[in-house]
């Protein structure tokens, strides 16, 4: 008679199954049929165990959100099945505090990633990769004619540039005509590239551009600031004045456009940027290092010196130095003194400027328009009430420019070791009798009164220029050279 079959627990442990199999093997008297039954029980028990584990894994997977796996979840894939189940249980029993911290960390990381993406994309939005046709480097930019063009000029609006000083805001100061803003310089054999402020700022990124010289270079500096700042958002640009140095900073490009006051380039008794209205002007022609130390390391340097030489025929040259309290001086002719100063400046540039890092410009003289007979207007009063340029450019216009100084600066810059771009602005500017500030300006820090404006013979300023206006063209030359050499 066959012994009664022992009941097996449905979810017996693996150990119990093995014991059962061993007992069946030892009591081999059960015969072949008993042997087969034992094997079947072992296999069936293992099958049920596998189904149980599978169901637990599916259940734990269903409890996870559909998102990128966390580090702990990625690690689970390499462990045993039981380890998977244990870690799933562990994650299911995380404390609410720990879960909240994890969520907050995840949100913080997401915000940081979004900010990084935004910071990376900003320069792409700012940059403007449009084709710009450049003139050949050998083209003479300074020989040509003035063309009226109220489509492309002015390059900016007077009322949209908050950094203009009252000295140059002619329309705000009462000037009625505005044609002076819309004349474009057309070189004879080529064309100037279209001005694009973003493109200029791209070339100036992480760089410094500095004008060095007198109030005409300050005039040009204000122009360059306005040309560049038109595409810069409010709050991302600033102006700071420190002694002889004015610094206009554009944050998003990490660039500065600067002006350094040094009317003679060398030391003089007119070096105070605020108190320099001195008739008895004295210079030290061989002393430049006090100024020059402020120019070192600048990427673009634009120099000029002229108008402060024109109030006397002879220049006073100090014996000794200002620091020693010297007061005695010698009087020498203007061209001789000018030559000594320009050679001192050239020596400083050759010894202190790395042409691989710094580009140097020297601007020729900015002309005056004092006598209306110079342009055949016997009824005129200096430059007052002039509304158009001299358009008959067949012959040079003689408005009293000291060409001897032009020749000296041109010859010296050509003989220097460091390359210097000589900006011949003189002739083309002599045609612009219409572009001066005239009576629409300030004098000694105060706006001209109506009575003073009615007396242009005494009060008209025929030295400085309205903005927008002629200095914008000078800066277009610099813009062109920067693009050509970048």
């Amino acid at each position: 008679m066959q012994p009664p079959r022992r009941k097996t627990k449905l979810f017996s442990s693996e150990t119990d199954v093995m014991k059962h199999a061993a007992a069946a093997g030892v009591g081999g008297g059960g015969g072949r049929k008993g042997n087969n039954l034992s094997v079947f029980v072992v296999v069936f028990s293992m099958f049920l165990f596998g189904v149980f584990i599978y169901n637990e894994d599916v259940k734990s997977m269903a409890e996870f959100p559909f998102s990128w796996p966390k580090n702990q979840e990625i690690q689970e894939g390499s462990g045993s099945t039981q380890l998977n189940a244990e870690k799933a249980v562990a994650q299911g029993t995380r404390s609410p505090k720990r879960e909240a911290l994890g969520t907050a960390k995840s949100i913080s990381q997401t915000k940081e990633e979004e900010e990084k993406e935004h910071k990376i994309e900003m320069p792409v939005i700012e940059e403007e990769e449009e084709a710009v046709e450049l003139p050949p480097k050998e083209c003479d930019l300074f020989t040509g004619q003035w063309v009226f063009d109220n489509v492309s000029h002015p390059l900016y609006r007077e009322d949209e540039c908050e950094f203009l000083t009252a000295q140059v805001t002619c329309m705000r100061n009462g000037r009625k005509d505005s044609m002076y803003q819309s004349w474009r310089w057309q070189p004879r054999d080529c064309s100037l590239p279209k001005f694009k402020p973003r493109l200029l700022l791209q070339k100036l990124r992480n760089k410094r551009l500095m004008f060095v010289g007198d109030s005409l270079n300050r005039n040009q500096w204000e122009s360059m600031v306005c040309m560049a700042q038109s595409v810069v958002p409010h709050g991302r640009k600033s102006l700071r004045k420190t002694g002889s140095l004015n610094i206009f900073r554009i944050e998003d490009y990490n660039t500065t456009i600067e002006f350094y006051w040094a009317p003679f380039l060398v030391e003089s008794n007119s070096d105070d940027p605020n108190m320099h209205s001195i008739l008895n002007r004295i210079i030290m022609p061989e002393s430049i290092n006090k100024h020059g130390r402020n120019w070192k390391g600048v990427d673009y340097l634009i120099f000029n010196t002229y108008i402060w030489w024109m109030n006397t025929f002879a220049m006073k040259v100090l014996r000794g130095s200002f620091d020693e309290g010297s007061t005695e001086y010698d009087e020498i002719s203007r061209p001789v003194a000018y030559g000594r100063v320009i050679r001192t400046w050239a020596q400083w540039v050759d010894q202190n400027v790395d042409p691989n890092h710094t580009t140097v410009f020297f601007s020729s003289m900015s002309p005056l328009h004092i006598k209306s007979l110079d342009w055949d207007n016997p009824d005129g009063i200096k430059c007052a009430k002039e509304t158009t340029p001299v358009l008959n450019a067949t012959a040079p216009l003689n408005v009293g420019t000291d060409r001897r100084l032009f020749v000296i600066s041109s010859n010296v810059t050509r003989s220097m070791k460091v390359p210097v771009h000589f900006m011949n602005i003189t002739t083309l500017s002599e045609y612009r009798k219409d572009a001066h500030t005239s009576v629409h300006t300030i004098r000694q820090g105060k706006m001209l009164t109506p009575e003073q404006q009615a007396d242009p013979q005494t009060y008209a300023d025929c030295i400085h220029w309205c903005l927008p206006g002629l200095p914008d063209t000078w800066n277009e030359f610099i813009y062109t050279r920067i693009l050509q050499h970048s």
Side-chain angles (χ1 to χ4, degrees), residues 107-146:
I107 294 172
S108 175
Q109 289 175 344
T110 303
K111 286 185 177 179
E112 288 178 4
E113 289 172 1
E114 288 176 354
E115 289 175 359
K116 287 180 180 178
E117 287 178 3
H118 183 61
K119 288 179 181 177
I120 293 170
E121 290 173 358
M122 274 184 67
V124 177
I125 294 172
E126 289 177 352
E127 295 190 4
E128 180 180 284
E129 295 295 343
E130 295 183 35
V132 175
E133 184 176 348
L134 295 175
K137 290 184 179 180
E138 63 274 11
C139 181
D140 178 9
L141 302 180
F142 311 107
T143 300
Q145 62 181 341
W146 288 102

Side-chain angles (χ1 to χ4, degrees), residues 320-375:
S321 73
F322 295 114
D323 292 339
E324 296 170 353
S326 302
T327 57
E328 295 185 357
Y329 56 82
D330 298 313
E331 290 196 20
I332 61 177
S333 69
R334 183 194 296 160
V336 172
Y338 190 85
R340 286 171 62 178
V341 167
I342 295 301
R343 283 188 289 274
T344 297
W345 165 82
Q347 185 178 29
W348 183 92
V349 170
D350 281 341
Q351 292 177 352
N352 292 277
V353 167
D354 177 3
N356 295 317
H357 176 265
T358 300
T359 303
V360 181
F361 299 85
F362 189 93
S363 294
S364 67
M365 45 281 307
S366 170
L368 295 74
H369 292 87
I370 302 299
K371 296 184 296 182
S372 62
L373 285 175
D374 292 339
W375 53 90

Side-chain angles (χ1 to χ4, degrees), residues 59-202:
K59 180 181 178 183
S60 63
M61 287 173 63
E63 290 173 354
F64 291 131
F66 289 100
S67 62
W68 290 104
K70 297 183 178 63
N71 290 336
Q72 296 93 329
E73 296 169 10
I74 294 173
Q75 293 171 359
E76 285 174 4
S78 59
S80 65
T81 306
Q82 187 167 349
L83 187 61
N84 283 342
E86 290 174 358
K87 288 195 174 181
V89 172
Q91 287 203 351
T93 57
R94 290 173 63 187
S95 68
K97 184 176 180 180
R98 187 174 178 183
E99 192 70 35
L101 287 172
T103 304
K105 185 177 179 181
S106 176
I107 294 172
S108 175
Q109 289 175 344
T110 303
K111 286 185 177 179
E112 288 178 4
E113 289 172 1
E114 288 176 354
E115 289 175 359
K116 287 180 180 178
E117 287 178 3
H118 183 61
K119 288 179 181 177
I120 293 170
E121 290 173 358
M122 274 184 67
V124 177
I125 294 172
E126 289 177 352
E127 295 190 4
E128 180 180 284
E129 295 295 343
E130 295 183 35
V132 175
E133 184 176 348
L134 295 175
K137 290 184 179 180
E138 63 274 11
C139 181
D140 178 9
L141 302 180
F142 311 107
T143 300
Q145 62 181 341
W146 288 102
V147 177
F148 185 75
D149 179 2
N150 60 359
V151 176
S152 66
H153 286 62
L155 299 176
Y156 55 91
R157 291 172 55 88
E158 177 188 297
D159 58 358
E160 292 177 350
C161 184
E162 61 188 285
F163 302 100
L164 289 176
T165 61
Q167 183 182 33
V168 299
T169 52
C170 297
M171 298 292 291
R172 187 186 306 162
N173 298 341
R175 183 165 179 170
K176 303 303 181 184
D177 67 295
S178 61
M179 286 181 62
Y180 68 91
Q181 299 182 352
S182 299
W183 292 92
R184 172 176 56 82
W185 179 250
Q186 178 59 57
R188 182 183 59 194
D189 301 322
C190 57
S191 294
L192 295 173
K194 180 181 179 182
F195 178 72
K196 298 182 178 180
R198 260 189 234 284
L199 182 58
L200 172 64
L201 291 176
Q202 289 170 27

